[in-house]
């Protein structure tokens, strides 16, 4: 029988995790110089926004942000059925010599990040690209690795991990559910 | 020894004599001997079982295109005549827009002989009005009549010069044959591919307005009035044309008119999807036109039914709509269409329908047949007005497959066709 | 059937309002790609698209080519003369020969109405109508809709008047179908000899004089006077046309509101539209061109849609 969804992070835990991730980002970057937070559509964008605000409040400087829609760079477009909606992409004027941190909600097979890397390459040549994810659920199909992880979870392929953010979903929550359950 | 053929037990309907009785029809040596409730079977007679069927004077289609000489790849006199008997027709009039044009006695004679050699429906050639159908000089009508021509037309195109049409009507009086016009004002119609109306506006196709036909209808009625000649108006398609013919007849003009089976059954909606098998000239028009044409048949304004059978090669019709040639085949679906849309819908009685398909064509064009009176030629159509069948163009005897009725279910079908007392067609299923 | 639009884009008449909105919504992010330095995304990489143009056209073909190349597709241009009759090879044979070389999509422009549908019924590749006779020019209609929607937001109740030779214009027709589906109030204005006789049954208001149209409208879509299509004089002269129907700044100055001016191009300057209007502040003609590439990219993207059966087979999470 299907299990009821399990909460991995509630709103407060999510906030704490994001604060810790923000610290790690600044630490890894040895400050905020050249830092660009690029969120992957859709929820990565909201998470990048929050990380940016946390860093700004802490360090007292503004942090460049961007949004990346990777739909057009997916490697599975032929099998994904009727066309997924393409979201907005906007990035700061130049990425060259900057330190880009890709932000996403869940890291799973790694294909989204691969697509993001391809797309960023078409925009410029950063000095360095790192990856920050709220949840790492394992199950990699490509040699992709997250530099900053909010929480690692172990789930089966019959389950999915859903991240909800207040800005889009009206609540902050990270939940494990069964693949075919209603969202 | 005389050759006797007895049609037994059918419902004999002969509008020329006002007959409608169940009984037997005896033919001797290719000629009608008599009909009666029961006729004793003469010795050696061939008996044709007609129980449950209608026995009528043979149908005559005065407007077909047999394409020979010139386009034998698309139809020959033989294949067309064979298709005709399969549709229940014992006689057809073949239009002269062949290659070369049938505008001289040699070609007229050729077409006539091809028909005789084929041994199916009788083939009566039309001669062209003008040499080469160019609309410039009169063709040799007298010579052509001598070789067998029964009427004249430049069908395929109109006679644009009113003077030439007037002369033709006057000249043809000597031979007592009709002059038939394809009514189309080319300056209004040029480039048009279907009826001008809301459907053409929606499909983005140039349309042919009804007036293109009506302008020539009234022109020719007036010329017939002036000259006393017999004008026969081909394939009328509009409500206005019916009204104008009524006007002419009321004033005693010698005008006769024909309508095609497709114009009393289909509307311009059949063109949806750019269906080239619904493309012909004049085009399919609106429901109001269909209704007016049906009414015109019912009240006698329109005299007779035809098909304008016009076979085309598959490749020619398998084209962008505007480039596809005009024309659809018709002889093998006409009876089914006429029964389904006219007889069974109460537009025409059985007698009236037979009148329009047999008696009137024979009378109008002075042809043998059109009657089962004693001494008439033994041309008989035996058909089942109630038989349901689905049109399958692949089974046509005609070389042409271009029909808009493919897959349609029709009610009414020829079962036995007899020409000169000989059974030339028998339905197999 | 693949994707939300089906196999082909033959016109706006067969589409639902939702499908039209889907294309416009999809076109918006595609506009951004043309702003990048590397104007390319790998989405249609490996697909072969043939631009089969039986009528001369520079702008539409180039626009499609940019759209195709920016999606990383391989493009081939085939220019052919006129109809099957004059060419000697039928349309079907031309397309089937191309298909035998394993192509994915055909963009076709042809002088016969219905040619795109004719082709789509006979080949397996996706078919995009780039203009068939006097029937439709759907991508032009779509880019006009996108331009208007960007300007006005919701098009419900917006008054758009199409000015000019509506009778021969496939652009006009696509616009009429598309605008009506999105709820706009549509009018046409032009000499009656250049309007379809059945225009009264097409659900649009008819203005005989352009002054009345200007007073009524929020936007004007000014059509090119189709000199090459007129088979015989429908109007006395170009000079008269400009004097009576031309969109001039003198006429626009009298408008009660700021009109948005569209033109599908190419323009006959000084005939249907004066230069100062075409180059003036109310003209969105160049936006139309930019939107054209985005709309075409959106259409190609949506038509090249994934195969649902493969999607079923590949149902697993992607992240």
């Amino acid at each position: 029988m299907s299990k009821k969804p399990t909460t991995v992070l509630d709103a407060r835990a999510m906030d704490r995790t994001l604060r810790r991730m923000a610290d790690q980002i600044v630490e890894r970057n040895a400050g905020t110089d050249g830092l660009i937070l690029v969120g992957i559509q859709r929820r990565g964008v909201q998470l990048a926004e929050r990380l940016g605000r946390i860093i700004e409040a802490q360090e007292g400087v503004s942090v460049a942000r961007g949004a990346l829609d990777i739909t057009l760079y997916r490697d599975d477009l032929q099998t994904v059925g009727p066309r997924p909606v393409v979201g907005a992409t906007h990035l700061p004027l130049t990425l060259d010599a900057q330190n880009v941190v890709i932000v996403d909600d869940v890291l799973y097979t790694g294909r989204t990040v691969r697509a993001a890397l391809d797309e960023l390459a078409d925009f410029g040549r950063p000095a360095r690209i790192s990856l920050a994810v709220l949840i790492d659920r394992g199950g990699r199909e490509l040699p992709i690795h997250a530099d900053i992880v909010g929480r690692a979870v172990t789930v089966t392929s019959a389950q999915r991990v859903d991240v909800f953010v207040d800005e889009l979903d009206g609540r902050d929550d990270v939940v494990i559910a069964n693949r075919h359950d209603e969202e | 020894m005389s050759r006797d053929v007895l049609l037994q037990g059918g419902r004999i309907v002969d509008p020329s004599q006002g007959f409608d009785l169940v009984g037997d029809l005896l033919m001797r040596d290719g000629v009608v001997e008599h009909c009666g409730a029961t006729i004793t079977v003469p010795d050696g007679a061939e008996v044709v079982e007609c129980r449950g069927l209608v026995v009528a004077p043979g149908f005559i289609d005065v407007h077909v295109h047999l394409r020979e000489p010139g386009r034998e790849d698309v139809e020959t006199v033989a294949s067309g005549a064979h298709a005709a008997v399969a549709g229940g027709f014992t006689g057809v009039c073949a239009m002269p827009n062949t290659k070369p044009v049938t505008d001289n006695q040699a070609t007229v004679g050729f077409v006539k002989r091809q028909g005789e050699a084929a041994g199916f429906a009788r083939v009566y050639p039309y001669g062209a009005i003008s040499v080469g159908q160019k609309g410039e000089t009169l063709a040799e009508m007298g010579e052509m009549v001598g070789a067998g021509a029964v009427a004249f037309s430049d069908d395929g195109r109109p006679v644009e010069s009113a003077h030439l049409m007037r002369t033709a009507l006057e000249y043809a009086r000597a031979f007592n044959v009709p002059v038939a016009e394809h009514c189309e004002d080319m300056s209004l119609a040029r480039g048009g591919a279907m009826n001008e109306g809301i459907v053409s506006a929606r499909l983005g196709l140039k349309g042919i307005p009804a007036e293109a036909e009506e302008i020539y209808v009234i022109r020719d009625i007036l010329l017939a009035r002036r000259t006393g000649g017999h004008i026969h108006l081909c394939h009328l398609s509009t409500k206005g044309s019916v009204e104008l013919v009524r006007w002419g007849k009321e004033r005693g003009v010698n005008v006769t008119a024909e309508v095609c089976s497709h114009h009393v059954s289909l509307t311009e909606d059949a063109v949806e999807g750019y269906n080239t098998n619904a493309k012909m000239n004049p085009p399919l028009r609106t429901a109001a036109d269909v209704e007016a044409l049906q009414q015109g048949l019912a009240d006698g304004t329109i005299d007779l039914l035809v098909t304008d059978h016009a076979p085309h090669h598959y490749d020619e019709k398998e084209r962008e709509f505007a480039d596809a040639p005009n024309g659809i085949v018709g002889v093998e679906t006409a009876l089914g269409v006429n029964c389904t849309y006219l007889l069974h819908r109460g537009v025409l009685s059985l007698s009236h329908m037979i009148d329009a398909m047999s008696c009137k064509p024979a009378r109008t064009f002075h042809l043998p047949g059109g009657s089962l009176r004693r001494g008439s030629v033994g041309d008989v159509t035996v058909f089942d007005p109630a038989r349901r069948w689905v049109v399958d163009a692949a089974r046509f005897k005609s070389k042409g497959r271009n029909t808009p009725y493919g897959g349609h279910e029709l009610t009414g079908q020829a079962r036995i066709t007899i020409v000169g007392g000989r059974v030339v067609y028998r339905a197999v299923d | 059937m693949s994707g939300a639009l089906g196999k082909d884009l033959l016109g706006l008449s067969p589409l639902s309002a939702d499908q039209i909105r889907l294309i416009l919504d999809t076109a918006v992010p595609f506009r951004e790609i043309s702003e990048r330095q590397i104007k390319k995304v790998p989405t249609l990489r490996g697909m072969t698209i043939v631009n089969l143009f039986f009528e001369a056209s520079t702008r539409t073909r180039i626009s499609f080519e940019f759209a195709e190349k920016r999606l990383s597709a391989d493009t081939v241009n085939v220019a052919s003369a006129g109809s099957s009759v004059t060419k000697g090879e039928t349309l079907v044979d031309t397309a089937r020969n191309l298909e035998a070389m394993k192509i994915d999509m055909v963009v076709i422009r042809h002088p016969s109405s219905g040619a795109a549908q004719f082709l789509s019924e006979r080949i397996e590749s996706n078919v995009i109508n780039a203009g068939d006779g006097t029937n439709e020019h759907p991508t032009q209609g779509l880019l006009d809709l996108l331009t208007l929607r960007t300007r006005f937001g919701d098009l419900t109740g917006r008054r758009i008047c199409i000015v000019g030779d509506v009778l021969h214009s496939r652009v006009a027709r696509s616009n009429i179908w598309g605008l009506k589906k999105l709820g706009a109030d549509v009018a046409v204005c032009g000499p009656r000899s250049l309007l379809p006789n059945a225009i009264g049954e097409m659900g649009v208001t008819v203005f005989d004089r352009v002054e009345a149209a200007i007073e009524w409208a929020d936007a004007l879509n000014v059509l090119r006077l189709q000199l090459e299509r007129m088979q015989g004089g429908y109007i006395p002269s170009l000079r008269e046309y400009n004097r009576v129907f031309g969109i001039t700044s003198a006429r626009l100055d009298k408008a009660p509101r700021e009109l948005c001016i569209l033109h599908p191009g190419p323009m006959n300057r000084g005939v249907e539209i004066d230069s100062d209007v075409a180059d003036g502040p109310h003209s969105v003609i160049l936006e139309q061109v930019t939107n054209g590439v985005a709309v075409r990219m959106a259409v190609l993207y949506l038509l090249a849609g994934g195969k649902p059966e493969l999607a079923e087979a590949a149902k697993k999470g992607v992240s």
Side-chain angles (χ1 to χ4, degrees), chain A residues 118-137:
Chain A
D118 274 354
E119 187 163 5
L120 284 173
D122 281 348
F123 278 91
R125 192 178 182 283
R128 175 209 289 185
I129 303 177
S130 334
L131 175 63
V133 298
L134 185 61
I135 303 289
D136 180 349
R137 63 165 283 178

Side-chain angles (χ1 to χ4, degrees), chain B residues 219-371:
Chain B
R219 180 196 85 162
D220 289 352
I221 289 175
L222 294 172
L223 291 174
R225 184 168 74 169
R226 159 83 34 185
T227 60
H230 173 186
I231 183 74
H232 178 76
L233 299 169
C234 296
H235 47 47
L236 292 186
S237 69
T238 84
K239 181 170 175 219
S241 293
V242 178
E243 288 165 358
L244 293 169
V245 172
R246 208 170 270 134
W247 181 91
K249 285 189 171 179
E250 278 163 11
R251 282 153 186 72
V253 178
N254 189 1
V255 50
T256 54
E258 68 186 34
V259 68
C260 298
S261 302
H262 47 269
H263 285 118
V264 286
S265 55
L266 301 174
T267 66
E268 57 189 354
D269 295 324
V271 178
E272 274 307 337
Y274 301 96
N275 179 10
T276 57
N277 281 332
K279 182 180 182 192
M280 78 292 292
N281 195 13
L284 298 169
R285 307 249 190 210
T286 67
D289 295 303
V290 171
E291 211 186 291
L293 292 163
Q294 289 179 343
Q295 180 55 40
L297 269 172
D299 69 26
T301 306
I302 299 184
D303 302 85
L304 46 103
L305 280 157
V306 297
T307 63
D308 195 2
H309 174 89
H312 284 290
H313 202 280
Y314 171 80
D315 286 339
E316 292 171 305
K317 281 290 204 176
E318 181 76 347
R319 270 203 188 135
E320 306 90 278
F321 196 84
D323 285 344
N326 285 309
I328 58 171
V329 292
V331 287
E332 291 170 88
T333 49
L335 179 57
V337 171
N338 294 346
C339 287
T340 308
Y341 288 88
L342 301 171
L343 177 65
H344 297 309
R345 292 199 188 171
V347 177
L348 297 180
S349 66
L350 181 61
S351 171
H352 195 152
M353 186 185 83
I354 293 172
D355 194 37
M357 290 181 76
S358 177
C359 317
K360 288 255 186 71
R363 271 211 310 279
T364 309
F365 282 68
H366 317 296
L367 303 171
S371 173

Side-chain angles (χ1 to χ4, degrees), chain B residues 77 106-118 123-125 146-149:
Chain B
V77 172
T107 320
V108 168
F110 168 76
V111 171
K112 182 160 180 266
R113 281 191 305 278
Q114 291 292 85
E116 283 159 2
V123 176
Y124 303 104

Side-chain angles (χ1 to χ4, degrees), chain A residues 71-74 76-84 86-87 89 106-112 119 121-123 141 179, chain C residues 3-4 26 29-30 32-33 36 38 40-44 47 301-302 304-308 310-311 314-319:
Chain A
T71 312
L72 302 176
Y73 285 77
R74 291 170 72 145
D76 66 342
L77 277 173
Q78 282 310 303
T79 62
V80 84
R83 286 323 211 176
V86 181
T89 292
V106 179
L107 174 60
Y108 179 14
T109 61
R111 293 187 187 275
T112 299
E119 187 163 5
D122 281 348
F123 278 91
E141 291 175 2
R179 182 154 298 287
Chain C
T26 307
F30 278 108
E32 177 266 316
I33 292 168
R36 302 184 187 183
I38 296 189
K40 220 187 228 306
V41 291
T43 321
L44 296 190
M47 289 194 96
Y301 169 71
L302 288 167
K307 297 169 187 14
L310 290 181
K315 216 170 208 157
K316 51 193 282 260
V318 187
S319 224

